[in-house]
Amino acid sequence: MASDPSLSIPPAPPLTSRWDAFDWQPSLAQQQQFQTLYDLVLQGNQRMNLTRVTGPEAFWEKHLWDSLRGLWPGLAALPQPANSQQAESLQVIDIGSGAGFPGLPAAIAFPHWQVTLLDSTQKKVAFIAETIEALGLPNAAALAARAEAVGQAPEHRQRYDLALIRAVAPAVVCAEYALPLLRLGGSAILYRGQWSTTETEQLIPVLHQLGGKIQQVDPFTTPLSQGDRHSIVVAKVAPTPPTFPRAVGVPAKHPLAAP
């Protein structure tokens, strides 16, 4: 599908230079994929409610930059950016992907990763599947299911190296969705806005029940709107008990707490 030049994400500084926040620049092909993704999201918005962020600069900041900056703090334990000659292939799952974020930007930036984009809304998953095809991303796949069901499915449980979960639920609920899907030694990145020491204290005992521990809390500020963001990097250090995740709907209705 051809891009509409009137909708272009500004390709010149200051936007392009701001990728330097995590020492990486997209190639020309990746820039075009980001542009096509923007066009497709705008077109998809005409059929369904995908995002309220439609201006080019806001889209770049809140969907592209935020998606990639959010996963960057875990790079000490993850592969180097896509231009690395020694990049490791990872199995990655984006839980509650919505319109495809952060999974689609991750699949574009890290073509050596295998990214599964999971969402429970059939229409959104159909959009993601169409977008994957239009972008030519052989390393991405869309999956329509509930996170609780996928976490108990043998073909997905303990399969993934990295789980991404953004704007889905409170952190303790996100942890229950993500940890069962990770192999031992894997990591989950919880994308959060504001974050407090109280939330850290609430999350630690829940992670202990799920086989995880906080590896890093990374605060950062978005470059245009100066919004506060945090990436909570959680390491899988022990097997998750088979009782987790609980039945569909239970984690959100009855979030885990300290025993």
Side-chain angles (χ1 to χ4, degrees):
M1 187 176 297
S3 297
D4 181 347
S6 68
L7 302 177
S8 293
I9 299 172
L15 292 188
T16 301
S17 64
R18 292 179 189 270
W19 292 110
D20 292 341
F22 32 103
D23 192 28
W24 174 79
Q25 290 288 334
S27 67
L28 289 176
Q30 289 167 327
Q31 290 182 48
Q32 183 56 54
Q33 286 177 307
F34 287 147
Q35 173 62 56
T36 302
L37 174 57
Y38 177 52
D39 295 346
L40 293 172
V41 168
L42 289 188
Q43 293 171 30
N45 252 359
Q46 298 175 7
R47 308 192 310 270
M48 69 190 88
N49 181 25
L50 292 173
T51 178
R52 291 172 293 182
V53 179
T54 56
E57 291 194 356
F59 182 90
W60 176 84
E61 179 187 54
K62 297 183 186 302
H63 286 321
L64 301 182
W65 190 92
D66 187 72
S67 289
L68 296 180
R69 176 60 182 82
L71 61 82
W72 228 254
L75 285 182
L78 299 177
Q80 295 301 306
N83 57 3
S84 170
Q85 296 301 309
Q86 303 297 325
E88 178 187 354
S89 178
L90 296 185
Q91 292 291 332
V92 181
I93 187 164
D94 174 15
I95 303 168
S97 190
F101 303 99
L104 289 175
I108 291 170
F110 295 87
H112 51 287
W113 290 2
Q114 295 298 314
V115 182
T116 299
L117 295 98
L118 170 67
D119 201 272
S120 62
T121 304
Q122 292 280 353
K123 288 184 178 180
K124 289 182 178 179
V125 172
F127 168 80
I128 292 170
E130 292 169 1
T131 302
I132 288 170
E133 183 176 358
L135 292 172
L137 294 176
N139 63 320
L143 176 62
R146 289 291 297 258
E148 302 96 325
V150 172
Q152 291 291 356
E155 65 269 30
H156 292 284
R157 188 177 180 89
Q158 301 185 100
R159 171 187 171 186
Y160 295 93
D161 302 293
L162 178 64
L164 310 175
I165 185 162
R166 178 178 185 246
V168 169
V172 293
V173 178
C174 291
E176 186 172 354
Y177 291 158
L179 267 294
L181 294 166
L182 293 175
R183 63 167 179 81
L184 282 177
S187 297
I189 298 180
L190 316 184
Y191 287 64
R192 314 305 297 175
Q194 299 286 341
W195 188 255
S196 67
T197 55
T198 298
E199 289 172 297
T200 296
E201 292 167 358
Q202 292 172 342
L203 182 58
I204 287 172
V206 169
L207 291 177
H208 183 72
Q209 296 176 65
L210 297 168
K213 70 173 184 179
I214 294 177
Q215 188 173 35
Q216 183 179 358
V217 176
D218 178 57
F220 59 94
T221 304
T222 58
L224 303 182
S225 62
Q226 301 299 299
D228 290 333
R229 298 286 190 275
H230 291 78
S231 287
I232 315 303
V233 184
V234 174
K236 177 79 170 277
V237 296
T240 301
T243 51
F244 300 117
R246 292 167 291 166
V248 169
V250 174
K253 290 180 181 177
H254 303 286
L256 290 172

